[in-house]
Each structure stands twice: as structure tokens, then as C-alpha cells.
Amino acid sequence: MKRLWSKKRWNMIFLSIFVYFIGFKCFFIYIRFLKIHNIVSLLHYALFSIPYVMDYVITITSCFFLQNMFVRFQTLNDVWNCLPADLAVVPGQWTHDRIVDVMENTRLLHSELCGLLKAFTLGYGPMLLGFFSSSFINMLLCVYFIIINDEESTSSHPTKSFWEKILPLIVHVQIVTFLLSVIVIVSFINDKRLKIISYLRLYQISNLHLDIKQQIKMFINQISAYDSDQISAFGFFYINLNLVTSILVLLISGIITLIQMKNHPVILQFNNDTKSYLGKL
């Protein structure tokens, strides 16, 4: 378990993200300082404005669980690599019974880990769906308004105007970082989860003992059965590297569609309502 991150490393990660969150929150309140008129406004900006606590909670807890699952799947692959070549008996090291026991235990552990991933999908699926959906909508609308809005004239506070322009960039970088963190680590898990099937297909089953042959067939059937239980956002879409391409395509298509319809009465009303709402914040 050398790949398993230590408690100290996780504490450093949590502390760093917490400091970043507090700093980002203070920065946002600072650039909105002139619009804070009372304690209610301060509480609004502190609790219900960017950066959102839920984004951090979902990302950190998901990555913590998934990284531990990744290490355990990698350990199973390492154990399988320790088996003798062609699963043949090695006098004094590997007996037939020991080979069968290791194969069976590895198969059962693989099944248990896949069950944990399924439980994670059932528990975190709705939150991941909301997280990915809200992040996508946020990026879509923010980029759209940045494109259609004319560049505002520099106010009497040029420094503040500069920071207000930087804020959307920071938010977008944070969103992309959080999304990619979850997507990449899930993709690593999928690779390790299915990698062992490549080992199983290398063996010539016809030359193996009946017990070993049975274990290989059971393992292949088990992996095929769990292949449909990939980590998903409550069943709406699978979380893997293909999702990055889908998000980019939908983002570009959505922005182009909104720009083409920017003179439509409904879109104009939407733009005015949004600007009016943002002006009150």
C-alpha cells in the first residue's frame, strides 16, 4: 500500500484547499465591499456566493474515496502479477492449491471493490449530477455573457475593475480543475479495474488445470457483469475521459446557439433580467 497517500498528505491537501477557499471568499467580499450595506448583505456574500462550499465538499470527498479505491485496484493487479508465469506450479514456491487460493481471493476482492464503486455511484450519483450540471450551466452562461457584453468603460477604480474582470477567470479555472480532478481519477480506476482482464486473456485455458480454468472463467464473467456498473452521475452519463469531449462539444454548441439567438425577444429578456439581477448583488 505504498501508493496510498498518508494521513499527513491528506491533511496538507485539506488545509491547502481550506486556506484557498477562505482566501477566495475574502477576495470576493473585498471586490463587493461597496455593495455591502448591512449584516444581511455580508451574510449573503459569505454564505451564498462564490466560491460555493458544496463544490469543495463534493470534490474533496469524492477524490478521497476514489483515490483509495484506485490504490486498492492497483494492489490487486500487483498481486496478480506475482503469480507464476502460465499459472504453472513452481516447486518450493507456488503449489497448485496456493495458486487457486490467490486467484479466488483476488476475484472476491475485485468483486467487493466493484460493489463499493456501485454503492458510491448510488450515494454520490445525485450530487455528482448536480455538480456537473450546475458547473456546465455556469460555464455556458458566463462565457456567453462575456462574449455578448461590450467591454465596460474603466471606472474611477481601475484596480477594482481589473479584479472584477479576473474573478470570472478564477471561477472558470476552479470549475475546470474540480471537474477534471473527478473525471481523471475515475478514468484511472476504470483502467485498473479492467486491466486484469488483459492478464486473463493471455492464458491458454486449454492447457490449465480444471480448478484454475474455472477460476479464470468465473473472473472473466464477473468482470463482464460489473462492466455495466461504471461510475455515473445517477445514471444520466458515465464519468470518464469521453465526458470531457462531450462537455466541450455541448459548451461550444450552446454558446454558438445563444449567440445566434441573442436578438430573439426571449433571449433579450433573459439578458436584461440577468443583468438586472447581477446589478443588485
Side-chain angles (χ1 to χ4, degrees):
M1 287 289 182
K2 292 182 179 180
R3 299 182 186 86
L4 193 62
W5 289 0
S6 64
K7 182 179 179 181
K8 182 178 180 180
R9 176 179 291 188
W10 277 112
N11 288 337
M12 290 297 297
I13 293 174
F14 293 154
L15 180 61
S16 300
I17 294 178
F18 178 74
V19 171
Y20 167 76
F21 172 78
I22 297 298
F24 193 3
K25 180 68 73 173
C26 293
F27 166 70
F28 180 78
I29 294 176
Y30 164 73
I31 65 175
R32 297 289 184 179
F33 179 74
L34 295 178
K35 297 184 179 181
I36 298 178
H37 305 292
N38 49 50
I39 189 65
V40 176
S41 300
L42 179 61
L43 289 176
H44 168 77
Y45 285 116
L47 300 177
F48 304 107
S49 62
I50 57 174
Y52 301 109
V53 178
M54 190 57 65
D55 291 350
Y56 289 79
V57 172
I58 293 177
T59 303
I60 294 174
T61 54
S62 298
C63 290
F64 176 78
F65 176 83
L66 294 172
Q67 195 273 337
N68 282 275
M69 294 298 296
F70 166 76
V71 171
R72 283 158 175 77
F73 274 109
Q74 179 61 49
T75 302
L76 285 184
N77 283 278
D78 293 341
V79 170
W80 193 271
N81 286 329
C82 293
L83 290 171
D86 299 327
L87 301 178
V89 175
V90 179
Q93 295 183 3
W94 289 95
T95 63
H96 171 74
D97 292 338
R98 186 182 178 189
I99 293 175
V100 174
D101 288 341
V102 171
M103 293 178 65
E104 183 175 11
N105 290 332
T106 303
R107 179 178 61 82
L108 294 176
L109 287 174
H110 188 278
S111 175
E112 185 175 348
L113 291 177
C114 289
L116 290 175
L117 288 181
K118 184 176 181 179
F120 173 82
T121 300
L122 294 175
Y124 262 70
M127 289 188 290
L128 290 175
L129 176 62
F131 175 57
F132 276 82
S133 301
S134 60
S135 298
F136 172 79
I137 294 173
N138 188 7
M139 288 190 294
L140 175 64
L141 295 180
C142 285
V143 174
Y144 166 68
F145 281 112
I146 289 174
I147 293 176
I148 66 169
N149 287 338
D150 295 330
E151 186 175 355
E152 297 181 357
S153 58
T154 305
S155 62
S156 57
H157 302 282
T159 303
K160 187 173 181 181
S161 177
F162 169 77
W163 289 117
E164 287 180 344
K165 294 177 182 178
I166 290 295
L167 182 62
L169 177 61
I170 298 176
V171 173
H172 290 153
V173 171
Q174 175 184 292
I175 291 175
V176 172
T177 302
F178 285 177
L179 292 179
L180 287 180
S181 298
V182 177
I183 292 174
V184 169
I185 195 168
V186 170
S187 299
F188 285 161
I189 291 176
N190 290 335
D191 290 341
K192 296 301 178 183
R193 184 168 62 91
L194 299 177
K195 186 177 181 180
I196 199 168
I197 200 171
S198 63
Y199 300 143
L200 298 174
R201 290 172 176 170
L202 293 176
Y203 301 117
Q204 296 182 358
I205 298 181
S206 58
N207 299 330
L208 298 176
H209 191 276
L210 181 61
D211 293 340
I212 297 178
K213 186 186 303 184
Q214 184 179 8
Q215 287 294 331
I216 291 178
K217 289 182 178 180
M218 292 172 62
F219 212 155
I220 292 177
N221 293 334
Q222 174 181 298
I223 294 176
S224 300
Y226 280 114
D227 189 33
S228 59
D229 294 330
Q230 299 183 39
I231 297 178
S232 65
F234 204 49
F236 282 83
F237 52 83
Y238 291 122
I239 299 177
N240 49 44
L241 291 178
N242 294 330
L243 183 59
V244 177
T245 304
S246 301
I247 291 176
L248 289 176
V249 172
L250 290 174
L251 189 62
I252 295 173
S253 302
I255 293 172
I256 293 175
T257 302
L258 288 174
I259 292 176
Q260 290 176 339
M261 298 179 62
K262 65 180 181 179
N263 294 323
H264 191 278
V266 175
I267 301 299
L268 289 174
Q269 182 65 36
F270 172 72
N271 294 342
N272 294 331
D273 292 343
T274 303
K275 292 178 182 178
S276 176
Y277 171 75
L278 294 177
K280 297 177 182 178
L281 294 179

